[in-house]
Amino acid sequence: MRSAPEHGITRRDLLRIATAAALPIDLSDSPPRFLAEWGKRGKSEAEFDVPIGIAINRHDEIFVTEFRNNRIQKFDPNGRLIQVLKLAEEQPCGIAIDRQDNVYVAHLMPAKITVYNRQGDYLRCWGKPGTADGEMQQPGGMAVAKDGSVYVADEVNHRIQQFSSEGVFVRKWGEYGNETGQFGGMDRPANRTGGPQFVTLDSHGNVYTTEAANGRIQKFSPQGKYLSSWGSNSTDPGGFGGRPKNLPGPIAIVFDKKGRAWVSSTNHWVQTFTPEGKFLFGIGGQGTEPGKFATPHGLAFDSKGCLYVCDTQNCRIQKFAI
């Protein structure tokens, strides 16, 4: 693990980054400060090959999915490896943890959800490729509600599916299109880059989804009623654009204890918004230095409010004090 250099990312540094990128910044709180990073490209323990999802349990144990290494690695908050979890299926991407510390994993092409306990013991699975209720096509991000409901971003089917903790289908919503409550209409129907990609819940149980091609966040009630949306693939502050047309947009979304939304995107930034979508500030920019990213994906907060970022193409995890 590489810890923060003595100077870290100071308020002056962040102001300089924001000014250079024409990004406004909220100075009502201290700016995010780089703390540590760990990992490099590889297949050995504590190395990564396309880390996609990240989730943290009540014990501040950090679980990271690796798409190409077909495994989950578990770390402590200092980046020390605790365990390598063997998985029942390949291509893990989305990950979520319930209140009993059970770990839910979405597997892209197998179109399955597998479940493990905190120690990595296999518990159950559900799903298969298809379009019927309970079937999926390239599931992505997941979130678990307080009541144990599991929300899955069913990417190529352009919908959200809700299941019980045992995998029983509850409901679905969404279809291909650009209208509110629809997903991915700016991309071809068969492409998962249309979305939804990731899903998260706020403190009230409302469901938020990301759509890369449409460059927006949509908000739904726990029952799937459309409530609001915001975002764009512009290159303005708060926009998710800046990459080629076939790879724009937001990826993951998570809420902090203050109710602010943090969104990673393909333009190598992690940006912060109010729940209504008002842009506050951003960290990142493309690079390999501490505090820079290369297509960041999963985001998670620990019990102390530290932010962890899957810096996917840099094959590392970065940790920030918020």
Side-chain angles (χ1 to χ4, degrees):
M1 181 185 70
R2 176 179 176 182
S3 299
E6 189 171 309
H7 60 274
I9 295 180
T10 66
R11 179 176 294 237
R12 181 178 295 177
D13 293 332
L14 198 56
L15 278 170
R16 185 176 67 250
I17 294 169
T19 300
L23 294 172
I25 186 167
D26 177 11
L27 292 179
S28 60
D29 296 307
S30 298
R33 179 170 54 89
F34 171 81
L35 293 177
E37 64 172 319
W38 69 87
K40 63 178 182 179
R41 188 179 301 277
K43 298 185 180 299
S44 299
E45 292 185 351
E47 297 178 344
F48 300 108
D49 197 350
V50 189
I52 295 290
I54 185 169
I56 301 176
N57 66 15
R58 297 174 299 165
H59 311 279
D60 281 341
E61 295 171 331
I62 301 156
F63 295 74
V64 181
T65 62
E66 290 181 80
F67 185 77
R68 289 183 180 157
N69 283 337
N70 295 312
R71 65 185 180 184
I72 289 176
Q73 295 193 77
K74 180 167 67 172
F75 301 89
D76 71 12
N78 296 312
R80 288 189 287 263
L81 181 69
I82 299 173
Q83 183 184 2
V84 177
L85 280 67
K86 296 181 179 180
L87 301 177
E89 298 288 342
E90 296 185 339
Q91 296 184 333
C93 45
I95 184 171
I97 297 176
D98 67 16
R99 290 190 160 193
Q100 287 72 48
D101 294 324
N102 295 317
V103 181
Y104 296 73
V105 184
H107 300 267
L108 192 71
M109 297 308 294
K112 290 186 177 181
I113 307 300
T114 59
V115 188
Y116 309 83
N117 64 18
R118 177 186 172 191
Q119 291 74 34
D121 298 319
Y122 173 83
L123 299 178
R124 57 187 173 273
C125 76
W126 71 82
K128 64 179 181 178
T131 60
D133 294 349
E135 297 177 349
M136 295 167 278
Q137 294 194 86
Q138 300 185 35
M142 292 190 300
V144 179
K146 294 177 181 179
D147 66 359
S149 294
V150 182
Y151 294 89
V152 179
D154 189 2
E155 295 181 292
V156 177
N157 284 330
H158 305 293
R159 64 187 181 185
I160 297 294
Q161 292 200 67
Q162 180 185 351
F163 300 89
S164 74
S165 60
E166 297 297 319
V168 177
F169 173 81
V170 176
R171 64 171 57 89
K172 64 184 178 185
W173 69 87
E175 61 184 358
Y176 177 73
N178 294 313
E179 301 300 319
T180 58
Q182 298 178 336
F183 299 103
M186 295 296 290
D187 206 345
R188 292 182 297 172
N191 285 1
R192 65 183 177 88
T193 50
Q197 270 79 40
F198 275 65
V199 58
T200 196
L201 309 175
D202 66 14
S203 60
H204 303 289
N206 295 312
V207 181
Y208 290 73
T209 62
T210 59
E211 285 174 86
N214 284 48
R216 67 179 172 180
I217 311 297
Q218 293 199 69
K219 176 183 178 181
F220 302 89
S221 74
Q223 295 75 38
K225 178 183 177 182
Y226 170 81
L227 298 176
S228 63
S229 58
W230 47 270
S232 75
N233 275 335
S234 76
T235 55
D236 296 328
F240 305 118
R243 289 287 291 270
K245 290 183 179 180
N246 64 342
L247 193 64
I251 304 175
I253 179 171
V254 69
F255 284 88
D256 64 18
K257 292 181 179 180
K258 294 185 177 181
R260 299 176 299 188
W262 295 72
V263 183
S264 61
S265 53
T266 61
N267 61 7
H268 316 298
W269 284 84
V270 174
Q271 299 179 93
T272 311
F273 303 83
T274 67
E276 298 75 31
K278 178 184 176 183
F279 175 64
L280 298 175
F281 56 83
I283 59 173
Q286 186 173 15
T288 59
E289 309 92 336
K292 299 286 188 178
F293 305 115
T295 320
H297 276 62
L299 307 169
F301 284 96
D302 67 15
S303 65
K304 296 181 180 179
C306 292
L307 173 68
Y308 297 77
V309 180
C310 281
D311 190 3
T312 299
Q313 290 185 328
N314 282 330
C315 293
R316 65 183 177 182
I317 304 299
Q318 293 199 63
K319 178 181 178 180
F320 299 86
I322 306 298

